[in-house]
Amino acid sequence: MLTNTLKTGILISLFSGAALSLSACSTVTSGIDSVGHGVVSVGESMQRKIADVEVKQLKQDQFFLAQSFDEPVNSLDSWALRIESREVCPQGYIYLSRNARKMGKFAYSAEQCYGEMNCSYKLEWQIQCADVPEEPFSLFGKS
């Protein structure tokens, strides 16, 4: 049988190990956050140089943003439009609408763009400034 002092020593060891593990997790998480913010800032600076975003103010707190693409529509999301949205609405924003606009048919794959089809389209957002906190960085994408 184990003595009371031995049992106490084992319990203290287990709790100490758990506490160290939890503190290591927070250290790893803060390290991942700082690396993530670095990656995001590099990506944003590159997007500012290469992306041409059109911004029009509709009302005092509403904006129209548009970006042209020459590829099949994969998503209604754009890093460049997110950057410009944060520029015009630093406290945050909500989407009023997000559309892909084109006069003809949309391409479904990149192969269609290489010969037979014009794949250009315009991604358009209408946003309203609102007090919305910025999403935290995640290695696994948006939640």
Side-chain angles (χ1 to χ4, degrees):
M1 288 219 115
L2 297 174
T3 64
N4 282 340
T5 55
L6 189 54
K7 287 180 186 177
T8 306
I10 291 172
L11 285 174
I12 290 172
S13 298
L14 289 173
F15 285 121
S16 314
L20 283 173
S21 296
L22 290 175
S23 68
C25 286
S26 67
T27 304
V28 168
T29 302
S30 64
I32 288 172
D33 285 343
S34 61
V35 168
H37 290 297
V39 169
V40 168
S41 66
V42 168
E44 286 183 355
S45 63
M46 289 173 44
Q47 279 291 326
R48 282 191 180 115
K49 291 180 183 174
I50 61 172
D52 186 27
V53 176
E54 172 188 347
V55 179
K56 290 182 186 172
Q57 187 169 4
L58 303 174
K59 294 182 182 176
Q60 181 178 351
D61 64 344
Q62 289 184 3
F63 294 88
F64 171 84
L65 297 97
Q67 181 182 10
S68 296
F69 291 90
D70 193 20
E71 61 189 34
V73 178
N74 295 319
S75 168
L76 295 178
D77 199 8
S78 164
W79 205 359
L81 290 179
R82 283 177 175 260
I83 293 166
E84 287 298 324
S85 297
R86 282 198 318 265
E87 291 283 323
V88 296
C89 297
Q91 74 277 13
Y93 58 91
I94 57 171
Y95 301 108
L96 298 177
S97 68
R98 296 193 300 175
N99 301 303
R101 189 172 311 275
K102 179 178 177 150
M103 296 305 281
K105 293 170 64 176
F106 286 102
Y108 296 104
S109 69
E111 290 78 28
Q112 290 179 311
C113 299
Y114 294 129
E116 67 197 70
M117 189 174 238
N118 177 2
C119 292
S120 62
Y121 72 95
K122 191 176 258 191
L123 185 59
E124 300 174 342
W125 287 7
Q126 188 173 344
I127 62 168
Q128 181 171 351
C129 297
D131 190 14
V132 180
E134 189 176 339
E135 291 182 39
F137 174 78
S138 170
L139 283 176
F140 305 107
K142 292 179 247 163
S143 55

